[in-house]
Amino acid sequence: MQLITTAAVLSALLVHSSTAADDTDFITAAPHAGSATSDLYPPPSTSVDSALFPPEEEVGFPGPTPTGVEPAAIQTAAVYPYNRGPTNQFPLVAPQPHGQSETSDKFDITKYWGNLSPWYSLSSVDYGLPDTSPLAPPGCSVTQVHLLYRHGARYPTSGAAPAQFAEKIANATKKGLQVKDDLAFLADWTYKLGGELLSPFGRSQEFLLGIQHRQLYGHLLNNFTEAGTIPVFRTESQDRMVKTTENFAAGFFGVPEYLDQVSIEILVEAPGVNNSGAPYYVCDNAGIASRGDIGSSVASKFAQNAFNATLARLNSQVSGIEFTPNDVVAMLQLCSYETNALGYSAFCGLFSQEDFLNYEYYYDLAFYYNNGPGSPVSAAQGKGYLQEFVARFTGEYPEAWSALNQTFDNSSTYFPLNQSIYADATHEVVVLDTLTAFNLTALFKGPPLNPKENRKENSFSSSKTVPFATHFTAQVLECSTYQPTKQIRFILNDAVIPVADSYPGCPADPHGLCAFDNVVSVLKDRIDEIDFDHDCFGDYSAEAGVDYNGRAPKKS
Ligand SMILES: *[C@@H]1O[C@H](CO)[C@@H](O)[C@H](O)[C@H]1NC(C)=O
Ligand SMILES: *[C@@H]1O[C@H](CO)[C@@H](O)[C@H](O)[C@H]1NC(C)=O
Ligand SMILES: *[C@@H]1O[C@H](CO)[C@@H](O)[C@H](O)[C@H]1NC(C)=O
Ligand SMILES: *[C@@H]1O[C@H](CO)[C@@H](O)[C@H](O)[C@H]1NC(C)=O
Ligand SMILES: *[C@@H]1O[C@H](CO)[C@@H](O)[C@H](O)[C@H]1NC(C)=O
Ligand SMILES: *[C@@H]1O[C@H](CO)[C@@H](O)[C@H](O)[C@H]1NC(C)=O
Ligand SMILES: *[C@@H]1O[C@H](CO)[C@@H](O)[C@H](O)[C@H]1NC(C)=O
Ligand SMILES: *[C@@H]1O[C@H](CO)[C@@H](O)[C@H](O)[C@H]1NC(C)=O
């Protein structure tokens, strides 16, 4: 009571001074909108219709869900996860690289794990916009937000290298494996990871993302309140995807409110089902080595030579086993996965700073050539989302809805076009496919990545672009200081991405803004030039070292 009185008196005083004083430093307070309690979200008598939006158990197709061993960092971690490290991602423990000092060096190894990195904020300045941030630019207000985000940290996917490595160690142990020095911990190491599922840390990433977005964009819920309706947030059927969206929604709406304040739409991801969030299931060329899967072989070739010094050191500390370059990659992945799932990994300390830089480049190659501009199928795979974004921008279902599930997507129940807030969850490969389809070439500035060595001539970084919980945002704005006043811009993990060099008709702008109608027209041209059938089913051959802008070469 005391506080309320004081605040009321204080604000009365402020309003009084600002209107009474001649001093022009004071700004007259505007009538305050949205403070009446009737404006608060959720609108009365709304609820989720679970017949229209069935839960995970009913939708099915959860994918494999092998559970792991419970984490026990209180016993296994060498360092306690205090929330004050200069380079740690609380509550993960990440040591300095091999050969560097824990006390004086500050190299955050978690920023070099490619798609296994936890996301962190990027700077607009790195993409050529030194004077902006995601905050609404002066004179502008955000009227609509479109979010596409990846699931949080997870266990390895089925068939990944760490489980095979664990089996190799188990086999060698039976035959008298001996270890020493850096590798002494292997004597009683066991494999504790499950598969596919979101880790506890992964849950926190999405929960925090939800909280952050409520803080940033909560005012856009007023549009739903006025319309007397609640939003649809979309995700996919794999267990980690459903849990990702539930954690995001829990952060955004609160627990247990999220259960009744947002309709969560679970799209089936399975072979043959058309789904913008899992396009590889309807794109035959995606898995073909000379077409959509160039990146996997380029990356694995790079790894054969990249870790020689460390491989020699590690092999000198064991007998009864011979490590290969693939084992080194598996151990680096164990560093990432164990840290993300268990909070700590003894594998991390085995690797030098140079190893982590090469590990990141290994992922850079894989993603640039599988899902970036170096891939002939990436734009086709991102076309579904590109079409969906444009549909939401324009409020119109497209005529040629070719790559999508019409029964499910062409309806105002499942694919509404009048929301002020959109949030879709997907996989990292799809986020990157989508960025490529959007022709956001500022993310890939420079010559195609060199397959043999990191020449650092390209702006692309997998750790920055496809980490866990990576998120791509389109802000639609009303700007009184611009002509036309309706503007739009794109943001990736807090960095504003300029479009002046890749969107014809968009002038250079310090805030990365461009006229909304112009951007829509550029994106429609892009949709038209992406030939899904040719890129995904055509007979052609592609190779590493080329920037295809994500599209297949015409017949070989
Ligand atoms: C481990 O040993 C089993 C049985 O000999 C064998 O089938 C399997 O391929 C071995 N695994 C690895 C990764 O070497
Ligand atoms: C969107 O349109 C539908 C159908 O006309 C309507 O029921 C709903 O309230 C609208 N939602 C918003 C947020 O305006
Ligand atoms: C469309 O989605 C529904 C619901 O997930 C699914 O049952 C159906 O098989 C899909 N159709 C196509 C053509 O992908
Ligand atoms: C790494 O070792 C391989 C195999 O011994 C050798 O062919 C290659 O040249 C070495 N690469 C580097 C960069 O030292
Ligand atoms: C699914 O996508 C494929 C590839 O674009 C397309 O040939 C097919 O028409 C689509 N099917 C439906 C029902 O949308
Ligand atoms: C999608 O639905 C709209 C509105 O009902 C309709 O006009 C349009 O023809 C449909 N498009 C397709 C491709 O089915
Ligand atoms: C949301 O409401 C605000 C305030 O009325 C309005 O300016 C904005 O255009 C609305 N957004 C959408 C997507 O309708
Ligand atoms: C995509 O960006 C490139 C420049 O990076 C530009 O030349 C091209 O015209 C753009 N494509 C479209 C469809 O706007």
Side-chain angles (χ1 to χ4, degrees), residues 105-151:
D105 292 323
K106 289 183 176 44
F107 182 84
D108 186 349
I109 61 170
T110 71
K111 293 193 169 71
Y112 301 89
W113 295 349
N115 66 327
L116 307 184
S117 282
W119 88 275
Y120 63 95
S121 289
L122 309 179
S123 307
S124 305
V125 61
D126 293 347
Y127 298 96
L129 296 176
D131 300 317
T132 195
S133 83
L135 294 176
C140 297
S141 55
V142 175
T143 58
Q144 194 179 40
V145 67
H146 302 251
L147 175 69
L148 182 66
Y149 64 107
R150 183 197 185 194
H151 59 76

Side-chain angles (χ1 to χ4, degrees), residues 439 441 501-502 504 522 526 529:
N439 207 33
T441 59
D501 290 341
S502 59
V522 168
R526 184 68 173 154
E529 77 177 13

Side-chain angles (χ1 to χ4, degrees), residues 3 30 37 40 99 135 146 206 219 279 326 346 376 445 460 472 535:
L3 274 176
T37 46
L40 287 179
L135 294 176
H146 302 251
E206 300 301 346
H219 67 293
N326 291 343
K445 209 169 173 172
F460 177 67
F472 170 59
D535 299 359

Side-chain angles (χ1 to χ4, degrees), residues 224 227 229 418:
F224 295 94
T229 185
N418 55 358

Side-chain angles (χ1 to χ4, degrees), residues 141-144 219-220 222-223 226 418-421 478:
S141 55
V142 175
T143 58
Q144 194 179 40
H219 67 293
L220 294 175
N222 293 337
N223 299 58
E226 272 166 34
N418 55 358
Q419 296 194 160
S420 50
I421 305 173
E478 194 56 33

